[in-house]
Amino acid sequence: MTVSAGGQGRDPGLQHERTALARHRTVLAASGGTLLAAVAAARSGRPVVAVVSALFALVLAAAALVVHRSPRERWTPWAVLVLAAGTVVGLAALGVAGAMVSILGSAP
Amino acid sequence: MTTTSGASADRDPRRPRSVYGVGTEPDPRFSLANERTALAWVRTGLALVAGGVALTSLATLADLSVVLHLIAAVACVAGAAVAVSALRGWRRTERSLRLGEAMPAPTALPVLVAGVVLISLLLAAHAVVSARR
């Protein structure tokens, strides 16, 4: 059985829909993770980091909708993966930086 | 290896070139499944990073041990490593799909297992030490 590139709704396995939903929930999860980092930064007394993170979380939430609706030619797999994985790496850097600041701050 | 003619390879604007510059177009369902797998790996890495961020902010708010900050940093680094190996794994699998080669071994799985085992051991050691104190 062949599936045409633009043949959404043709494939009984719903591969295109499942992939679009996987993209949607991945970018949305990245948005949620960024929001968590924003709240953590606000509670730790780092307002600039908190505001920047919250704005980026909004951008990602919007991107989740755009990615979900865009044709695959517009948002290629690589672009979506780099966006999501790049956000994860950025959040990890933020988390490590926060942990290091806390460790150095608590040192005598 | 089989590569498409120069003209058709030039016309394909998709990135990365190391993937779309080789081989022939596979069954779209395989490409879609490969993308979903990579996205699931990215979400797994995100879960580790989110756990690390949550742990370090909890340790800050509750004024807990410095060791917990170190464990949180380990979780963040492991999550980032899983996300990066998800990208590498997608590229390698897509290449092998296009070239009709055997599937490469999973790269993200050893990273994930190593990270989770390390975090668990550190947390268990920290729990034992703080219980004895």
Side-chain angles (χ1 to χ4, degrees):
Chain A
M1 185 190 62
T2 55
V3 183
S4 63
Q8 297 200 359
R10 299 275 180 81
D11 174 21
L14 297 176
Q15 299 271 343
H16 281 97
E17 289 80 355
R18 281 157 62 191
T19 308
L21 286 168
R23 288 176 160 200
H24 184 69
R25 68 171 169 270
T26 304
V27 180
L28 205 60
S31 171
T34 311
L35 205 58
L36 171 77
V39 172
R43 298 283 307 191
S44 311
R46 294 170 196 130
V48 178
V49 178
V51 168
V52 171
S53 305
L55 286 177
F56 190 58
L58 270 178
V59 170
L60 281 174
L65 278 177
V66 172
V67 165
H68 181 59
R69 290 159 175 269
S70 299
R72 292 178 61 76
E73 292 75 31
R74 180 91 47 85
W75 279 82
T76 59
W78 186 248
V80 177
L81 282 170
V82 166
L83 174 69
T87 304
V88 172
V89 171
L91 286 178
L94 213 59
V96 170
M100 288 306 138
V101 167
S102 298
I103 290 170
L104 295 176
S106 66
Chain B
M1 283 300 108
T2 53
T3 49
T4 49
S5 65
S8 75
D10 286 341
R11 261 191 280 115
D12 197 336
R14 291 176 295 177
R15 303 239 152 226
R17 299 302 312 148
S18 62
V19 169
Y20 294 110
V22 300
T24 52
E25 199 66 16
D27 187 330
R29 287 174 295 169
F30 300 160
S31 279
L32 291 166
N34 183 28
E35 185 186 340
R36 288 199 299 275
T37 306
L39 287 168
W41 274 116
V42 171
R43 289 195 299 275
T44 305
L46 178 65
L48 272 174
V49 171
V53 170
L55 182 62
T56 186
S57 39
L58 180 71
T60 302
L61 294 178
D63 206 15
L64 299 175
S65 161
V66 172
V67 179
L68 287 176
H69 289 294
L70 281 175
I71 297 172
V74 170
C76 287
V77 170
V82 168
V84 169
S85 52
L87 281 180
R88 288 181 55 221
W90 177 85
R91 206 169 56 187
R92 284 177 357 130
T93 304
E94 196 70 17
R95 265 180 74 92
S96 72
L97 279 175
R98 296 183 70 86
L99 294 170
E101 292 172 344
M103 284 290 124
T107 49
L109 196 54
V111 178
L112 175 69
V113 172
V116 170
V117 167
L118 184 62
I119 294 161
S120 316
L121 286 177
L122 287 172
L123 276 176
H126 177 255
V128 168
V129 168
S130 40
R132 280 201 181 170
R133 219 177 264 160

